[in-house]
Amino acid sequence: MSSTHGTPDADLESAIRAGAPKALASLLRRYGTFDQCEDAVQEALLEAFVQWRANGVPEKPVGWLVSVATRRLMDGWRRDNARRQREVNDHLRTPAVEDDHVPDTDDTLRLLVLCCHPALTPASQIALTLRSVGGLTTAEVAAALLVGETIVAQRISRAKRTIKESGARFELPSGQEYDERLRAVLHVLYLIFNEGHTASAGDDLQRLDLAAEALRITRMLRPATPGADEVTGLLALMILTHARRDARTGPGGDLVPADRQDRSRWHADEIAEGTALVEAALTSGPVGPYQLEAAIAAVHSEADSVETTDWEQIAGLYRILAEVDPGPMVTLGSAVAVAMTEGPQAGIDLVEGLAGDRYLGDHHRRLSVLAHLQELAGRPDLAREHYLAALDRTRNTAEQNYLRDRITRLTP
């Protein structure tokens, strides 16, 4: 054992989170039944929480988890079907896994692809990815997605049942199917990171644990998909965005807008890493939306202040992004850059043009941007009106407090 006097909870959780997907991948490779293997690993994790906290993390934690999970799997088979007895005995005679030589990147990719099966809804894909690849418990997934544990459990149960009924195997598809699955994988990771970057509800502006988990998984995905520039682009975007985390909130957890952030608190080493990644991705092949978003983040990161930001370059990148991946979120994102280069009214026109959009028309983000631009245009009454409307639609406490502060400042 690596420790004989117990293990701090942070180290314990880190070891379990890192080992869970590897253990699940190992069982899937040997036995192939996703739902049963996942249940067996969860039972092993529960046992690990108790034993590792008391005795320390073993030297080969993945091997430990695989051995315990295998026993649980065999016990289940023995209980469910006496006819499997001979098969069970054969498996039990097999020496227990004693090392951690479990392929990391290949198995991680297979798990990601399996969790992003096209038959699953996006909500189920995210829940299953967090649970099976991210190593989060059902309670942690529920907290991350801001829904009840029962809902998450139902989503995961339905997802596993769908995968079983579809006959999906623990292997990588080829050709167009692989490309389609990879796009789904990147989209799920992008959504998970965004929820961690700015939580849609709750007391805290950021869920740093969730953002870090999406970043960790994306880091593992990159070496498993060589030549996939959009994977590199997404990784760069996450690194550059996450580098600003310490400056985004004040001592009490209050939201600090970009124009008032202490940029010396941005992580310079991470910005350098993310910038190098996006530069490499942009020069190696066709440009995709994640690469362009990362390029925009890199330009923001280069500036010492909002005033010295190269808004012309950002506006140009948004124009390219609108051609590559048009959509209301791209239009909303470009509005500030347009306002800074062509005047506030030009940005306002873009945002007001989204008023009838099905998803963004009544969303607090559109209303907040519109209020900010009305402030820039010297129209405090209109700005206050839109801030009030945004406040009514915001569920995040930190964002609510910021909006109340803006409203107070604009109230005569």
Side-chain angles (χ1 to χ4, degrees):
M1 306 292 282
S2 59
S3 169
T4 57
H5 302 289
T7 299
D9 285 352
D11 294 341
L12 175 66
E13 291 178 6
S14 177
I16 286 178
R17 184 159 292 170
K22 296 179 182 180
L24 176 58
S26 179
L27 260 69
L28 280 171
R29 198 183 325 107
R30 296 174 68 184
Y31 307 115
T33 52
F34 185 90
D35 53 344
Q36 294 177 341
C37 290
E38 205 267 349
D39 289 343
V41 169
Q42 290 301 316
E43 291 185 29
L45 293 177
L46 291 174
E47 189 169 334
F49 266 113
V50 176
Q51 294 199 23
W52 294 5
R53 178 176 283 123
N55 304 320
V57 177
E59 293 179 1
K60 297 173 181 177
V62 176
W64 190 98
L65 289 171
V66 170
S67 295
V68 174
T70 298
R71 289 198 296 270
R72 297 293 177 271
L73 189 63
M74 299 308 157
D75 288 344
W77 284 355
R78 183 185 292 116
R79 288 193 301 269
D80 294 341
N81 193 341
R83 292 178 302 168
R84 292 184 180 266
Q85 186 62 56
R86 180 171 298 178
E87 180 183 359
V88 168
N89 289 336
D90 290 341
H91 279 299
L92 291 176
R93 292 190 193 101
T94 303
V97 177
E98 296 181 351
D99 58 39
D100 275 21
H101 296 302
V102 179
D104 191 351
T105 54
D106 287 349
D107 282 350
T108 299
L109 180 56
R110 288 187 177 93
L111 265 180
L112 281 166
V113 169
L114 193 63
C115 292
C116 291
H117 193 279
L120 302 180
T121 64
S124 295
Q125 289 175 345
I126 293 173
L128 195 60
T129 300
L130 283 172
R131 172 71 175 270
S132 301
V133 185
L136 275 66
T137 65
T138 301
E140 288 172 328
V141 174
L145 301 182
L146 303 166
V147 296
E149 284 189 51
T150 301
I151 293 175
V152 169
Q154 290 172 345
R155 287 179 184 175
I156 293 173
S157 178
R158 283 197 301 267
K160 289 190 289 186
R161 185 169 62 249
T162 299
I163 288 176
K164 181 179 180 180
E165 292 173 353
S166 71
R169 299 179 62 82
F170 183 66
E171 58 188 24
L172 297 177
S174 59
Q176 183 178 354
E177 184 182 354
Y178 174 79
D179 293 338
E180 291 174 356
R181 294 277 195 100
L182 183 59
R183 282 195 290 272
V185 166
L186 295 181
H187 183 61
V188 166
L189 292 173
Y190 179 76
L191 292 176
I192 293 170
F193 179 83
N194 284 347
E195 180 63 30
H197 178 66
T198 303
S200 57
D203 293 334
D204 299 323
L205 177 68
Q206 306 176 95
R207 279 290 313 274
L208 294 180
D209 56 338
L210 190 58
E213 188 62 20
L215 184 52
R216 182 185 73 84
I217 296 170
T218 308
R219 281 191 184 278
M220 288 195 297
L221 179 60
R222 184 170 176 250
T225 52
D229 294 327
E230 274 290 77
V231 178
T232 302
L234 179 58
L235 177 59
L237 174 61
M238 288 182 178
I239 292 172
L240 289 164
T241 305
H242 199 54
R244 308 173 199 167
R245 59 193 176 277
D246 293 344
R248 296 185 66 227
T249 55
D254 295 333
L255 184 156
V256 180
D259 59 350
R260 283 188 267 162
Q261 287 179 14
D262 178 2
R263 300 194 176 200
S264 68
R265 299 185 66 198
W266 289 6
H267 293 253
D269 55 337
E270 296 175 17
I271 290 173
E273 180 190 7
T275 301
L277 284 172
V278 71
E279 287 175 350
L282 286 172
T283 57
S284 62
V287 176
Y290 295 124
Q291 294 159 263
L292 289 167
E293 285 195 50
I296 292 168
V299 176
H300 277 296
S301 300
E302 293 172 351
D304 295 329
S305 66
V306 170
E307 292 74 22
T308 60
T309 300
D310 189 345
W311 290 108
E312 291 283 357
Q313 186 178 0
I314 290 175
L317 288 167
Y318 267 117
R319 283 193 290 272
I320 300 173
L321 180 58
E323 294 177 2
V324 173
D325 188 35
M329 288 302 297
V330 174
T331 302
L332 184 64
S334 69
V336 174
V338 170
M340 298 299 286
T341 55
E342 302 177 26
Q345 189 58 48
I348 290 170
D349 291 343
L350 284 176
V351 179
E352 287 185 335
L354 297 171
D357 185 81
R358 176 181 176 186
Y359 299 104
L360 273 182
D362 206 37
H363 197 279
H364 74 275
R365 300 226 182 280
R366 188 190 77 86
L367 294 166
S368 296
V369 172
L370 184 56
H372 171 66
L373 296 180
Q374 293 287 9
E375 267 197 274
L376 290 180
R379 301 165 186 157
D381 290 344
L382 281 175
R384 182 174 179 274
E385 176 185 330
H386 293 306
Y387 278 133
L388 281 167
L391 177 61
D392 287 341
R393 295 159 177 80
T394 305
R395 295 186 296 151
N396 182 283
T397 302
E399 289 186 310
Q400 289 172 346
N401 292 337
Y402 171 75
L403 292 171
R404 289 191 185 99
D405 178 68
R406 300 311 303 165
I407 292 165
T408 300
R409 290 172 182 269
L410 295 171
T411 300

